[in-house]
Amino acid sequence: MRLWRWRRNPLRRPSDVLEAWVLLTAYVLALVGAFLAGMATQGAVERDLDQQRVERQAVSAALVEDAKDKPPAGAADDDRVWVTVRWTAPDGSARTGQTKVGPDVRAGTRVTVWTDQYGALSSKPVSHEEARLQSALAGALTAMITVGVVAGGVCAARAWLDRRRMEQWAADWARTDTRWGGKTG
């Protein structure tokens, strides 16, 4: 019964054949497109995270102020506070910025911060394993979105075909009713 649109049948309409081709194209596009989009996304995310790991470096910075008088940074389970730190950029210039430290750290204490290739503060890069997981999840999400877009297109095409079939059906009934003696009611 699944292949009824492909078999020769006197009741088969051209729209049935068109729908069969739309469905076949959609299945192929969903499988191949989702695979290719997922792999491309995974590769791009993994390359970006690998590049971040290469460009970012740990730098020793000194606290400019005490952390004891600062309010907590925000999260209920995180008691760290934002303080100003000073470090030396790769070009030799002194830089300052904000980082989170424990609440009992005093001014002058050395802490490790992460900077990008220009010496600006950045977040710690993800590990290789975390990068692989994030890229795999991004690839899977892209594949699912691709399948969803294809499925949405198929639903729209089938709705258009159904509407067209109903219009043809109504026109055929109007002709048949007229041949049988006119419209009743």
Side-chain angles (χ1 to χ4, degrees), residues 30-105:
L31 289 174
V32 174
F35 176 76
L36 292 176
M39 293 303 291
T41 300
Q42 179 183 4
V45 169
E46 195 162 352
R47 278 189 304 277
D48 183 52
L49 293 174
D50 287 343
Q51 183 177 356
Q52 285 180 9
R53 211 171 25 261
V54 169
E55 291 174 351
R56 294 182 183 176
Q57 54 200 354
V59 175
S60 179
L63 268 65
V64 175
E65 57 191 350
D66 286 340
K68 68 178 179 174
D69 299 329
K70 300 285 185 175
D77 60 344
D78 187 8
D79 62 342
R80 295 181 302 166
V81 297
W82 286 104
V83 295
T84 304
V85 292
R86 178 174 289 128
W87 71 96
T88 305
D91 63 2
S93 62
R95 301 276 181 97
T96 60
Q98 296 271 313
T99 191
K100 285 184 181 180
V101 296
D104 55 348
V105 182

